[in-house]
Amino acid sequence: MTMEYSQEFVVGQLKWADEALSDAEYLLKDYRLRASANRAYYAMFYAAQAILSRTNGQLPKTHSGVINQFGLHVARPGIVDRQLGAHLRNAHRLRIRTDYELHAEYADDLVAETVQNARAFVSAVRRALDLPR
């Protein structure tokens, strides 16, 4: 069963994506890497939900489901660059490590790259949905 998502849902998800991205950038400048990685991932996650609601007509109930469906219905068919699917998956792995592993080790530049990838991800989704910022 598919559900029709409103334009309001799509715009709302992209608003959350923009807020999370702004938070990630601010936190990175303040060298709060764990929080920055979290917000970068969520920026991508919200944008992925926005585009999946349009391309797939339904949203998975789990983060893994959103990631897999994004790859299948958005990246693989070329709606956005396929590399963005890998960026989403990598950001999710980093978020899990930084949120749940007390002594997680990761490089500063990995978080900075994740924030940069989140910026590109949200922009690409906006372009694909023809919704400029």
Side-chain angles (χ1 to χ4, degrees), residues 107-125:
D108 307 358
D109 58 340
L110 177 61
V111 177
E113 180 181 338
T114 302
V115 172
Q116 181 179 348
N117 292 342
R119 190 178 311 114
F121 189 99
V122 172
S123 293
V125 167

Side-chain angles (χ1 to χ4, degrees), residues 34 36-46 48 61-68 84-101 110 114-115 117-118 121:
R34 288 179 186 273
S36 180
N38 174 289
R39 301 320 301 156
Y41 165 72
Y42 273 100
M44 292 185 209
F45 178 77
Y46 297 138
K61 297 185 187 304
T62 65
H63 287 258
S64 296
V66 168
I67 293 165
N68 290 332
L84 294 178
H87 291 332
L88 177 60
R89 190 173 304 282
N90 292 337
H92 182 250
R93 286 186 193 123
L94 180 61
R95 184 198 63 96
I96 294 298
R97 285 180 36 221
T98 60
D99 280 359
Y100 298 110
E101 295 177 21
L110 177 61
T114 302
V115 172
N117 292 342
F121 189 99

Side-chain angles (χ1 to χ4, degrees), residues 25-42:
E25 291 168 340
Y26 175 80
L27 291 162
L28 181 63
K29 288 177 188 171
D30 198 32
Y31 204 70
R32 295 177 56 199
L33 301 178
R34 288 179 186 273
S36 180
N38 174 289
R39 301 320 301 156
Y41 165 72
Y42 273 100

Side-chain angles (χ1 to χ4, degrees), residues 2 7 11-12 16 35 42 50 59 67 81 89 102 109 113 126:
T2 61
Q7 184 71 2
V11 170
W16 284 359
Y42 273 100
L59 293 177
I67 293 165
D81 186 307
R89 190 173 304 282
L102 181 60
D109 58 340
E113 180 181 338
R126 284 188 165 284

Side-chain angles (χ1 to χ4, degrees), residues 3-16 46 49-51 53-55 125-133:
M3 178 177 173
E4 291 298 318
Y5 288 88
S6 69
Q7 184 71 2
E8 181 181 5
F9 175 83
V10 172
V11 170
Q13 290 300 107
L14 290 173
K15 179 181 177 195
W16 284 359
Y46 297 138
Q49 286 187 310
I51 198 165
S53 72
R54 282 287 180 248
T55 59
V125 167
R126 284 188 165 284
R127 281 191 306 276
L129 291 170
D130 197 28
L131 293 171
R133 185 159 198 225

